[in-house]
Each structure stands twice: as C-alpha cells, then as structure tokens.
C-alpha cells in the first residue's frame, strides 16, 4: 500500500519523522566522496548506504542457513561416493580373473586404469544427470508445498519462483561425476596393482585389501579434525568446522578395516554352525568387510550427529520459551513494524482491566550499530540489574554497573560475537539522534532474533528518548480468570483491537516448535537419504562378497549345508557387520554432533544450546538399522542359495 507521506505521518502519529531518504546525485558526482561528506553531518544511527549494500546485509541473514543446507547435501554426495566405491568394488571382484587375463594378454596397467576410471565416469555422468533432473523436480515440489522458507512462515503472502542457476547446475553435475570417479578410483588402483598370476586363481579375492589395515592415516585425519575445531570462522562461515566434520568422518571410515580385523578376532565363535561360519568368514575377510561398511559408518555417524544436534536445539528452544514466556497472556500491537503501537491511554486501559493482576510493557524497535551488518533489535522493558538473573536466560555472569557507570544493557549472543562485546564493556547505542553509552551487564540467549538484540530498562529508555509507546505487553491474570474473558474485555475497551495479536504462552510455544519442526524437516529427509545410501552400500558389499564366494557356497551345499543354513549364515554376517558399523559410527556421530552444536551452529548463527542426547530415538534408529541391514544382507545373497552355485565348483576342476 502506498500513501502520501504527510498523511502517513499524521495518521500514524509520526509528524516530522522519516525513516529513509532516497537521493539521486547529479551527473559527474563522486558517489564515495559524497557519501563520506554526508555521513559526517548526519545524526547518530543514520547511515548513508547504497541500495546494493542493503540487499547484501539482508542476504547475510539467510547465508548461514543456505550454506548449511548445501554442506548437508554435499555430505549426502559423500555417502554416494562410498556407494560408488562399493559397487565398483563389486564389479572389480566379479571380473578379477578377467582383468588378470587382460594383463596377461598385454593390456598395460595405465590402459586398464583408464578403462576402469572411464566406467566410473560413465556411471557418474548418468547418475549426475538423473540427480540434477530429480533435484529440480524435488525443488519445484518442495517450494510448491512448503514454500521457499520450508514452511517456517517467514515469507507469508510471497509466491516464490524457482530460479535455475546454470553455473550451479553445472557445478553440481561436475560434482556428481567427480564423486563417482573418486569412489571408483580405489578399486581401480587395487585391480591395477594386483599380480596377474595369483588373480587368475580362486581365493585371491580376500587378499586384495590387506594393505589398508594400518590406522595411521585415520588417526592423522581425526587429529586434523580436532585441530580444525579450534580455528575461527572465515567471513562469518564455519569453514574450518565443516572441514573438521569431513576429516573426522573420513578418518572414521578409514579406520573401519583396522577396527574390524581386531573386533572380529576378539569375538568368540558361536555354538551354531551358521553363526560360527559367519564369524569365521568375517575374520578371514575382515578388511574387505570393513570397506563394505564404509557407507554404513558414514550414514550412522551422520544420523547420530544430526539427531543429537536437532534434539539439542529443540530441547534448548523449548526450555528458552518456557523461560521467556512467564505471563498468562501476550499482546502484540505490530508484528515487527513501527506503525502499530500502544499509546499511553491504551496502556492505562489494559492495566485497568478487571481480570488483569499485573502488566509488563515492552517497546521494540530496530537500530543500526554497524551499517555493514543487519539491524539489531532494541528492546525496552521493565527490568533492572537485580532482577536480570531471575528473568533472562543469561549465559555469562551478570554484573551491576556502578553509580558513575553508564546504564546497563543486556546483549544477546549474536551481538556479543559480531561486535566483540563482553560483560563490563561499553557500547554506544543510537537513541533519539545521538549516541548513548551503555555498560554491558550480561549476555543472554535469544532464539527469536538472529541478527541480535539489546535489552535495556524501559524507564531508562523513556528518560533518554521521551518515547512512552509500547509494542508488546505481557499480562498476568488474577486467580480464576480465563484468558478468553480478558481477551473479550480487551477488544471491547480498545479502539482498533481487532488488529492486536493475543496469544497465550502455550500457543506461542506450540507455534514456535511447529515452525522449528517444519524448518528442520528437510534435514530429516536428507538424513533418511543418507541412511538408504548406506544400506545400498552394504547391499553392494554383501553382493560383491557373495559373487566372489560362489565356489565356497557350492562346496557348502555339496557337504550337506541347507539353503536355510546358508541364508542364516549370510544374515548373521549382515547382522554382525551392521552391528560393528553401528558401534563404530556412534563415536564419530557423537563427536560430529558436538562440533555441530559448539562450532558450526555457534559460528553460523551465534546461538548456544545445551547438549541433549535423544536416547530413545537413537535406540529405535539403531534397532531399525540392524533389522534392515540383516534383511538387506539376506536378500543380497539370495542367489547364493540357488542351484547354480553347486555347478560353480566345477570352475576349480
């Protein structure tokens, strides 16, 4: 809506007040020099900015969220690399005698390596093309159903449009091809290094990965990840935190073969024949089994870390909401704007309602502390230094300014991080056209305002500005009074009360948590995708071992082992392998969860949270993963119970 500025000032009681002035300079004027000259004569809190700087400042609010989603998508691509590794290992194992024969017939190692790498590139090209098309369709469906804010409700009334970025699509397409090439490189190198003569014989498959059982590389990667967690953010992004997660995850995957050798050797043999044979097979091929578990370990680690981070965030948000909403009813005159307010007559009318025992008013407005950063919300409410610790969720010890010190201001964590402030420091806040000094009395946790907030006593605010308006109010009701009765009485007493938002604290908490769940729904979807990729990797690994052990299954059938016993043996192998992958993945998952909470989240959004481990959820996910892995292993090896494996014994005659 557009109206004359004089009429707007009159109707909204803003006579003589402006919020923005647009300037068009004469041709030939140096914009930078003019900007510097004009800035020197402007009052405190008013800045000269070019239009693009405002856009960039607003984009910084969503940059961290967008970056985290992109990194999470790249993590899914990393597990896809492990899946390609498993499938290419399957292909190399099946064709091991064939590849050895090609070497004997004169094919050089370099040509064989190019051939296998070309296969990975072809697989990656097809997969990347399908992935880009599927990603576009999923983006269209997601935006159509959930909106561009993924259901958070930030852009209500805005119809988003899908924007195709050709450069980004080409980058993702190339990333898919590169992931497939990297995933197929290790099996290709192993096939090239293999000696042709032993590879032509049966039983050489189990020795192909014996050289990767050293823990040095994995420990070095994990140590590098620990060092990266201590490094600061780069331009407001936790790049070293992302690197720490990658190093820790890759280090854990590299350690799996070494761990599997020792764990399977330590386990006692079961009494049942299928279980004993399964454990014996895992001991003999423990390194290869560990490689097959790479995708499972990565999936479990990511599943556990995301579950811990999301549960900790949600639990901290719920606790914070209970702490910040102690009143029985909350009133808001304007949702984030200066056009809605409660004047003194409205405040007296609210305080004089029969069912209201106590009222606490709040004045909210936005101020600019640094023109290169988003605006900070200034909150003025009835609060003194004595009550601060009981009212605010402080994360630092509170201090009380002395008699000669400037008045107290309580800052949120984003303000403390972005402006490098601490309790006891002094900060200048633009109020009524001049900079007013305040003493930082403490830092408090706030999940409602990402760009940060300042909180001062309302009496001090009125003394400095003369502004007695309010934008919000918290109402404590008398015993036995229902909030619905007060709401009816309030709407009858105030003019324009139909524009006032009234909500009980329970409704606000429920709405906030529902927005949180919708916002993080995409992380659950990506997490499920990662788990499915891990199960596909386990399936490919089991299928590869089954293909390489056809003669073994044929011999077992010849000496009287039934199909059911072979199926039980394969299921036992899948269960033991998945249990090992689950146990190994829990440790990096917990560590990555700590990195997400204390490093990435803090450097991205400048919010702290309390650690909360969802034991029930993790137990249910672990049980489901074990069952699915066991079923996957049994189904992947179902052709090992057919009659063709009996004929496979002839290959050694």
């Amino acid at each position: 809506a557009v109206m004359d500025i004089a009429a707007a000032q009159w109707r909204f009681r803003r006579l003589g007040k402006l919020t923005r002035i647009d300037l068009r300079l004469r041709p030939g004027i140096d914009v930078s020099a003019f900007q510097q000259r004009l800035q020197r004569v402007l009052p405190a809190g008013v800045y000269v900015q070019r239009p693009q700087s405002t856009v960039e400042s607003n984009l910084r609010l969503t940059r961290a969220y967008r970056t985290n989603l992109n990194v999470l998508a790249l993590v899914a691509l990393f597990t896809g690399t492990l899946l390609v590794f498993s499938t290419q290992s399957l292909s190399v194992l099946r064709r091991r005698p064939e590849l050895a024969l090609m070497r004997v017939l004169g094919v050089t190692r370099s040509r064989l390596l190019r051939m296998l790498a070309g296969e990975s590139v072809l697989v990656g090209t097809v997969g990347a093309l399908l992935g880009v098309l599927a990603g576009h369709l999923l983006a269209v469906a997601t935006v159509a159903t959930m909106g561009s804010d993924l259901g958070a409700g930030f852009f209500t009334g805005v119809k988003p449009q899908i924007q195709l970025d050709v450069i980004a699509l080409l980058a993702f397409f190339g990333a898919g091809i590169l992931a497939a090439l990297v995933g197929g490189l290790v099996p290709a190198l192993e096939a090239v290094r293999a000696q042709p003569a032993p590879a032509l014989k049966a039983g050489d498959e189990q020795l192909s990965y014996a050289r990767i059982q050293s823990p040095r590389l994995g420990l070095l990667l994990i140590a590098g990840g620990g060092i990266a967690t201590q490094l600061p953010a780069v331009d407001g992004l936790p790049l070293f935190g992302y690197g720490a997660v990658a190093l820790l995850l890759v280090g854990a995957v590299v350690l799996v073969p070494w761990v599997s050798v020792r764990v399977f050797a330590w386990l006692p043999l079961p009494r049942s024949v299928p279980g004993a044979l399964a454990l014996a097979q895992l001991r003999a091929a423990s390194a290869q089994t560990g490689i097959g578990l790479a995708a499972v370990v990565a999936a479990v680690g990511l599943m556990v870390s995301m579950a811990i981070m999301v549960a900790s965030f949600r639990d901290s948000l719920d606790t914070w909401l209970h702490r910040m909403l102690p009143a029985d009813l909350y009133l808001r005159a304007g949702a984030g704007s200066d056009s809605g307010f409660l004047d003194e007559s409205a405040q007296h009318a609210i305080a004089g309602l029969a069912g209201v025992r106590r009222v606490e008013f709040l004045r909210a407005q936005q101020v600019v502390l640094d023109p290169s950063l988003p605006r900070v919300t200034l909150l003025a409410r009835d609060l003194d230094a004595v009550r601060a610790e009981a009212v605010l969720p402080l994360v630092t010890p509170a201090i009380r300014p002395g008699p000669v010190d400037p008045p107290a201001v309580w800052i949120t964590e984003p303000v403390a991080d972005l402006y490098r402030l601490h309790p006891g420091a002094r900060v200048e806040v633009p109020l009524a056209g001049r900079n007013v000094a305040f003493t930082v009395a403490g830092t408090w946790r706030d999940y409602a305002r990402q760009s940060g907030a300042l909180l001062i006593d309302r009496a001090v605010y009125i003394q400095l500005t003369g502004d007695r308006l309010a934008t919000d109010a918290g109402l404590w009701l008398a015993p036995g009074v229902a909030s619905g009765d007060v709401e009816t009485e309030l709407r009858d007493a105030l003019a324009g009360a139909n524009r006032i938002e009234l909500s009980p604290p329970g409704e606000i908490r429920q709405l906030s948590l529902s927005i949180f769940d919708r916002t993080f729904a995409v992380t659950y979807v990506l997490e499920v995708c990662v788990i499915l990729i891990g199960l596909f990797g386990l399936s490919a690994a089991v299928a590869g071992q089954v293909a390489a052990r056809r003669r073994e299954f044929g011999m077992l059938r010849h000496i009287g082992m039934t199909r059911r016993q072979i199926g039980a043996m394969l299921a036992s192998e899948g269960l033991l392998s998945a249990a090992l992958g689950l146990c190994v993945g829990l440790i990096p998952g917990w560590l990555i969860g700590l990195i997400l909470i204390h490093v990435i989240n803090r450097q991205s959004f400048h919010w702290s949270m309390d650690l909360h481990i969802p034991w029930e959820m993790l137990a249910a996910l672990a049980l489901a993963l074990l069952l699915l892995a066991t079923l996957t292993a049994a189904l992947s090896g179902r052709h090992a119970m057919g009659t063709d494996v009996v004929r496979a014994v002839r290959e050694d005659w």
Side-chain angles (χ1 to χ4, degrees):
V2 180
M3 67 184 298
D4 179 67
I5 191 170
Q9 290 175 326
W10 170 47
R11 299 296 295 176
F12 293 112
R13 303 185 187 181
R14 291 292 188 269
L15 292 178
K17 297 183 183 295
L18 300 174
T19 56
R20 193 183 76 189
I21 300 177
D22 296 339
L23 300 179
R24 184 180 296 276
L25 303 185
R26 297 172 182 170
I29 296 295
D30 188 339
V31 178
S32 299
F34 181 86
Q35 182 176 355
Q36 295 177 2
R37 292 197 306 270
L38 181 59
Q39 185 65 63
R40 288 194 291 265
V41 301
L42 291 177
V46 181
Y47 293 92
V48 184
Q49 290 182 315
R50 298 187 182 184
Q52 186 60 31
S53 62
T54 304
V55 175
E56 294 175 354
S57 177
N58 292 331
L59 286 177
R60 291 180 67 92
L61 293 175
T62 60
R63 186 183 62 167
Y65 185 65
R66 290 182 283 112
T67 303
N68 285 333
L69 283 180
N70 288 332
V71 171
L72 187 58
L74 291 177
V75 167
L77 186 63
F78 168 73
T79 56
T81 301
L82 298 179
L83 176 60
V84 173
F85 167 72
S86 300
T87 54
Q88 285 297 91
S89 298
L90 166 64
S91 175
V92 170
L93 284 174
R94 284 179 174 176
R95 296 181 296 162
R96 191 173 179 83
E98 171 192 339
L99 298 177
L101 181 60
M102 294 175 63
R103 290 286 315 283
V104 171
L105 295 178
V107 177
T108 62
R109 291 186 174 183
S110 59
R111 185 173 181 180
L112 184 62
L113 180 62
R114 289 196 300 271
M115 182 190 74
L116 295 176
E119 293 178 2
S120 300
V121 171
L122 289 176
V123 170
T125 302
V126 176
L129 180 61
L130 295 176
V132 168
L133 295 176
H136 176 69
L137 295 177
L138 285 174
V140 172
T142 301
V143 171
T145 56
M146 304 178 63
S148 58
D149 55 3
L150 302 178
F154 297 131
F155 308 127
T156 304
V158 178
K159 186 178 181 180
Q161 300 291 334
I162 294 295
Q163 301 292 332
L164 287 180
D165 190 339
V166 178
I167 297 178
L169 291 180
L170 291 177
F172 293 143
F173 181 76
I177 298 177
L178 180 62
L181 179 60
V182 173
L185 191 60
V186 174
L189 291 175
E190 176 57 34
V192 169
R193 293 174 183 151
Q195 296 297 324
L200 288 171
K201 300 180 181 180
D204 179 66
E205 300 89 354
Q206 310 297 346
L207 304 177
S208 57
Y209 295 106
R211 64 172 59 90
I212 64 171
Q213 298 180 18
S214 174
R216 294 181 181 177
L217 178 59
L219 294 177
L220 287 176
L221 291 173
I222 294 175
I227 296 174
T229 59
Q230 306 302 313
L231 300 178
V234 179
D235 191 24
L237 293 177
L239 300 183
F240 290 109
Y242 298 141
V245 172
L247 291 173
L248 184 59
L249 194 59
V250 175
V253 170
V254 172
L255 282 177
V256 173
W258 179 80
V259 173
S260 63
V261 171
R262 280 144 186 84
V263 170
F264 291 137
W266 172 77
L267 291 176
L269 285 175
R271 293 182 177 273
S272 64
V273 173
L277 289 176
L279 183 56
Q281 166 61 27
L282 292 176
R283 287 178 177 177
S286 53
Q288 184 178 346
T289 303
I291 292 177
L293 288 176
V296 176
V297 171
V300 170
L302 295 171
M303 174 190 70
V304 171
S305 62
M306 290 302 301
I308 291 176
M309 190 277 293
V310 174
S312 299
F313 200 173
R314 196 180 193 279
D315 184 74
S316 300
L317 175 62
D318 192 20
T319 303
W320 177 80
L321 288 171
H322 279 85
R323 183 73 178 275
M324 294 299 295
L325 300 174
D328 300 315
L329 191 64
Y330 285 91
L331 181 151
R332 171 172 292 181
S337 67
D338 288 334
S339 60
F341 54 84
L342 302 170
D343 56 16
E344 289 187 87
S345 61
Q347 296 175 37
H348 288 304
I350 294 173
L353 294 177
V356 176
R357 174 171 51 92
R358 172 189 161 200
V359 181
E360 185 177 278
F361 294 101
L362 180 142
R363 179 72 164 100
Q365 64 178 357
Q366 293 185 333
V367 297
V368 179
L369 299 182
D370 187 339
S372 63
L373 296 175
R375 296 179 180 181
V376 176
T377 303
L378 176 64
L379 305 174
R381 59 175 288 186
D382 298 329
L383 180 67
D384 54 34
V386 178
R387 298 180 54 213
E389 296 183 17
V391 175
L392 295 178
L394 296 177
V395 295
T396 61
I399 65 171
R400 299 179 183 178
V404 297
D405 293 330
V409 60
W410 291 266
I411 63 175
T412 60
E413 294 171 305
V415 175
D417 291 347
L418 294 175
Y419 299 93
R420 299 180 181 179
L421 298 174
H422 55 84
R426 294 193 177 185
V427 58
E428 290 189 344
V429 180
L431 288 177
R434 60 191 179 92
N435 285 323
V436 180
F438 287 89
T439 302
V440 178
T443 304
W444 57 289
R445 181 178 294 175
D446 180 32
Y447 294 132
R449 289 158 281 264
Q450 181 182 339
S451 58
L454 304 170
L455 179 61
I456 63 176
D457 183 35
R458 189 162 178 252
V460 175
Y461 173 80
I462 294 175
Q463 180 183 358
L464 293 172
T465 64
D467 181 10
R468 296 181 177 273
L469 301 177
T471 54
D472 300 79
L475 283 66
W476 281 261
L477 307 183
V481 177
S483 59
D485 297 337
V486 175
E487 181 176 351
T488 302
E489 187 179 356
L490 179 64
R491 296 194 184 279
D492 293 337
L494 294 182
N498 59 324
R499 296 295 182 183
I500 292 178
E501 300 179 8
L502 284 170
S503 303
E507 180 180 326
I508 298 176
R509 286 193 294 266
Q510 183 179 1
L511 178 62
S512 301
L513 293 177
S514 63
I515 292 176
F516 177 89
D517 293 334
R518 289 196 302 268
T519 303
F520 281 88
V522 65
T523 61
Y524 296 130
V525 174
L526 290 175
E527 190 173 350
V528 170
C529 293
V530 169
I531 294 174
L532 291 177
I533 292 174
L535 291 176
F536 277 122
L538 178 63
S539 174
V542 173
Q545 293 190 34
V546 168
R549 295 162 57 193
R550 292 174 66 249
R551 291 181 290 271
E552 172 192 339
F553 295 136
M555 181 59 66
L556 292 176
R557 291 291 306 280
H558 270 291
I559 62 177
M561 199 168 184
T562 64
R563 295 181 181 181
R564 179 174 297 180
Q565 288 178 317
I566 293 180
M569 180 184 70
L570 292 175
S572 299
E573 292 181 14
L575 178 61
L576 291 173
S577 301
L580 176 64
L582 179 64
C583 294
V584 174
L586 286 175
I587 299 176
W590 177 68
L591 295 176
I592 293 174
L594 295 179
I595 296 175
L596 291 175
I597 293 173
H598 298 296
V599 178
I600 293 180
N601 178 77
R602 185 57 193 263
Q603 294 181 0
S604 297
F605 305 103
H606 308 285
W607 291 335
S608 66
M609 63 183 72
D610 300 321
L611 178 63
H612 176 74
I613 300 179
W615 297 108
E616 296 81 2
M617 178 191 295
L618 293 179
L621 291 175
L623 181 60
L625 183 62
L626 289 177
L627 294 177
L628 290 174
T630 303
L631 181 62
T632 300
L635 293 178
S636 300
R638 63 185 183 276
H639 65 274
M641 295 172 279
T643 57
D644 59 328
V645 296
V646 179
R647 302 189 185 97
V649 181
R650 296 181 182 178
E651 297 175 5
D652 287 337
W653 293 355

